[in-house]
Amino acid sequence: MTGTLISLISILVGIIAANLFGYFNKKYTFGFKGNTLVGVFGSVLLIKSFGRLGFDPWSIMNNGDFDGLRLLINIVVSALGGLLGLVFAKWIYLKMNKKPEN
């Protein structure tokens, strides 16, 4: 595997996690397109934020040596990023569309 392929798999896992979470919890859905966008940006944000800890795609492929544990951590963090991105986007959406109290 290359670092680019690992990145694409990671983003795909974030998309799938956000769409499945939105499908099973109708409270947190933005539809398929919205969940897909939130899944992409949520997973990328979390991987980029915490990837320096050693589970970014280039650390997984350290000098051509494959580390499966780091890949598993990368996939779990990517799925978590998709889920948290969806929850955060819904929270922002509800805050911005709140009716003003008079």
Side-chain angles (χ1 to χ4, degrees):
M1 274 192 218
T2 64
T4 305
L5 182 61
I6 293 171
S7 296
L8 290 174
I9 291 170
S10 176
I11 292 170
L12 182 66
V13 167
I15 291 170
I16 291 170
N19 279 308
L20 284 177
F21 186 69
Y23 179 77
F24 289 117
N25 294 329
K26 299 293 184 193
K27 177 181 173 185
Y28 293 106
T29 190
F30 286 107
F32 180 73
K33 291 179 186 176
N35 289 357
T36 300
L37 285 171
V38 171
V40 167
F41 290 113
S43 67
V44 168
L45 179 69
L46 212 60
I47 289 294
K48 285 291 189 182
S49 297
F50 295 109
R52 301 244 182 216
L53 296 176
F55 53 86
D56 61 327
W58 288 267
S59 295
I60 294 169
M61 292 300 302
N62 189 15
N63 295 328
D65 190 29
F66 180 75
D67 192 354
L69 180 63
R70 287 184 182 181
L71 178 64
L72 182 67
I73 292 171
N74 184 306
I75 288 172
V76 168
V77 169
S78 180
L80 189 64
L83 294 175
L84 292 177
L86 194 59
V87 170
F88 183 70
K90 192 63 171 187
W91 180 73
I92 293 289
Y93 175 79
L94 292 175
K95 286 287 187 185
M96 293 184 80
N97 290 323
K98 190 176 183 181
K99 300 274 186 204
E101 297 178 22
N102 291 328

